[in-house]
Amino acid sequence: MPKNTLAQFAKLMADPKVSAILKATKSEDGLTTKQISAQTKIPNNQLYYTINKMQDADLLTIVNQVQVKNLTENYYSSAHLSNETPRFQTDLDALDTDMTNISGTWTHTHIQEVLQWIMLLNHDFSETFREEMADKQPDEASIFFSNATLNLSAAGEHQLRLDIIKLLGNAEKNDPDPNSKDKHQAKILIEKWE
């Protein structure tokens, strides 16, 4: 069990640096802190604290250590988070996206932390929705939600999941106005239950 409390884990997961590091370190070979910095554009000196916290929460593991002069260089990986069954992982890898996919095995081991994270995301959405609707004209609000109840086979549900991950992973590449000066962060949370 991670050393972090539920509140600490939720705070950690809300940090944009954590998301960037998770995306950068999906390879089983891992990356050094310097390589993570280069891929995420986060300065090296701002990574150490976050990486240590991520290790405490079992979000990153050291997969290799190399001796460079009198220093040990660690290679960090988050690949253990996305170890799905081989068929699913092959399907997801074929999508060539930057989306981090968290495995059922890891989620099972960290159920309380994941539930806390989901509650934090839902709280953020609810607060933003309330603020947007109170402060703006409804047709000017940038927040929206949609839901659907679908009757799908197991194969249909699996395909829907792959389609959504691919759509999210390609959203920035497919932006019809990539040079826009008024870009902003869009947060997306998709939940499925029976």
Side-chain angles (χ1 to χ4, degrees), residues 32-38 42-49 51:
T32 64
T33 305
K34 186 176 179 179
Q35 292 169 327
I36 294 170
S37 177
I42 300 169
N44 226 359
N45 63 346
Q46 294 180 18
L47 285 174
Y48 293 105
Y49 177 81
I51 286 174

Side-chain angles (χ1 to χ4, degrees), residues 32-103:
T32 64
T33 305
K34 186 176 179 179
Q35 292 169 327
I36 294 170
S37 177
Q39 283 199 20
T40 62
K41 309 292 188 247
I42 300 169
N44 226 359
N45 63 346
Q46 294 180 18
L47 285 174
Y48 293 105
Y49 177 81
T50 304
I51 286 174
N52 286 336
K53 288 294 184 184
M54 291 175 72
Q55 281 185 274
D56 287 346
D58 193 30
L59 293 171
L60 282 180
T61 58
I62 296 173
V63 293
N64 192 15
Q65 293 183 318
V66 175
Q67 198 68 31
V68 179
K69 296 184 181 177
N70 61 344
L71 296 173
T72 302
E73 197 166 54
N74 294 325
Y75 284 75
Y76 301 95
S77 174
S78 61
H80 65 289
L81 299 179
S82 59
N83 287 334
E84 293 282 356
T85 60
R87 180 177 68 93
F88 284 12
Q89 190 59 45
T90 301
D91 290 343
L92 291 170
D93 288 345
L95 298 176
D96 191 29
T97 70
D98 285 334
M99 300 303 295
T100 298
N101 182 53
I102 299 178
S103 76

Side-chain angles (χ1 to χ4, degrees), residues 5-190:
T5 66
L6 299 182
Q8 289 169 327
F9 188 87
K11 183 178 177 184
L12 184 66
M13 293 307 296
D15 185 345
K17 285 186 285 198
V18 170
S19 178
I21 293 167
L22 286 174
K23 288 177 184 178
T25 59
K26 290 192 303 184
S27 165
E28 290 183 9
D29 296 332
L31 297 175
T32 64
T33 305
K34 186 176 179 179
Q35 292 169 327
I36 294 170
S37 177
Q39 283 199 20
T40 62
K41 309 292 188 247
I42 300 169
N44 226 359
N45 63 346
Q46 294 180 18
L47 285 174
Y48 293 105
Y49 177 81
T50 304
I51 286 174
N52 286 336
K53 288 294 184 184
M54 291 175 72
Q55 281 185 274
D56 287 346
D58 193 30
L59 293 171
L60 282 180
T61 58
I62 296 173
V63 293
N64 192 15
Q65 293 183 318
V66 175
Q67 198 68 31
V68 179
K69 296 184 181 177
N70 61 344
L71 296 173
T72 302
E73 197 166 54
N74 294 325
Y75 284 75
Y76 301 95
S77 174
S78 61
H80 65 289
L81 299 179
S82 59
N83 287 334
E84 293 282 356
T85 60
R87 180 177 68 93
F88 284 12
Q89 190 59 45
T90 301
D91 290 343
L92 291 170
D93 288 345
L95 298 176
D96 191 29
T97 70
D98 285 334
M99 300 303 295
T100 298
N101 182 53
I102 299 178
S103 76
T105 304
W106 188 89
T107 301
H108 178 72
T109 306
H110 299 86
I111 188 68
Q112 291 302 317
E113 293 91 340
V114 173
L115 287 171
Q116 184 73 23
W117 179 32
I118 291 169
M119 287 187 288
L120 173 70
L121 293 172
N122 281 317
H123 173 75
D124 287 350
F125 173 79
S126 299
E127 285 300 304
T128 305
F129 187 85
R130 184 188 56 74
E131 290 168 10
E132 289 252 342
M133 290 301 148
D135 298 341
K136 296 181 178 181
Q137 296 295 325
D139 52 346
E140 293 176 8
S142 63
I143 194 166
F144 66 90
F145 73 96
S146 179
N147 76 345
T149 302
L150 307 170
N151 291 310
L152 297 171
S153 65
E157 187 176 309
H158 176 69
Q159 187 59 52
L160 176 63
R161 177 176 175 236
L162 295 176
D163 291 346
I164 290 170
I165 291 171
K166 185 174 184 176
L167 180 68
L168 293 173
N170 290 326
E172 289 181 1
K173 276 193 298 195
N174 295 334
D175 186 339
D177 190 8
N179 299 319
S180 173
K181 299 279 190 237
D182 71 344
K183 284 192 174 191
H184 57 275
Q185 187 178 59
K187 298 179 183 179
I188 309 290
L189 172 65
I190 298 171

